[in-house]
Amino acid sequence: MSFAERLLKPPPRIVAGEPGTGWLGLVTSWAAVGFGAAAAAKAGGLLISFDDGACGVHSETVCQVAGWGGLLMGVVVLAVGALLGIVVARGFGPPTTWWVLPVMLGALALAPFQAAPGATIAWAWLLVAGVAALLALALGGMVVRRGRAALFGWIRLDGLDAREVPHRPVDQLVAPAALAVAVAFGAFGALVIRLLSEA
């Protein structure tokens, strides 16, 4: 068994739940992933550049609290997103358990790009961001190679097990829906960190 198969294996038992519950799990888990990733990236950028006036007229203490607090909040919410995918979505839609780690690493890789304009970024931060980006790409590639289960999940829109009954074209709506929810809540997460830094 390869490393990818061990890391990204389907659950031992797939519960074919109701479509309503599946959609609830899809929306909540991917909302958490989008919010957590954006908050982590924005807070990381705040931490990187607080010495260079990232908080404007506000104190460095406020900036550091917002940065560390936002980073911790982002990572915790990402973990909650994975938990919601297991407990509520239960195989409906792209599995957050497979995607949450590449998304988190991608958020850390984007942190230097969220720094204040003109901020001086230490080479160590750039090195960390580069390593995170490479790991995110490697893990993301492993997930994509898992095929349809990685993008559309194991459960169809009608609640049937997709390993036994093939996906239909309409079942492919779950992937763009997950992406749209993640992007929308990602924008909200970035706004929250910005407001915290201006408190």
Side-chain angles (χ1 to χ4, degrees), residues 67-165:
W68 285 113
L71 186 61
L72 179 62
M73 176 179 66
V75 172
V76 168
V77 173
L78 278 166
V80 169
L83 183 63
L84 288 169
I86 294 169
V87 175
V88 186
R90 298 189 300 181
F92 183 85
T96 51
T97 51
W98 289 4
W99 285 103
V100 71
L101 192 55
V103 168
M104 183 176 71
L105 289 167
L108 294 177
L110 290 174
F113 298 98
Q114 302 298 318
T120 304
I121 302 174
W123 66 268
W125 282 110
L126 294 174
L127 180 62
V128 168
V131 170
L134 289 174
L135 288 172
L137 288 172
L139 288 173
M142 285 184 201
V143 175
V144 169
R145 283 196 294 273
R146 300 300 286 166
R148 299 180 65 81
L151 299 176
F152 308 118
W154 297 286
I155 304 298
R156 301 194 333 173
L157 283 175
D158 54 10
L160 296 178
D161 190 329
R163 294 177 304 175
E164 299 175 2
V165 183

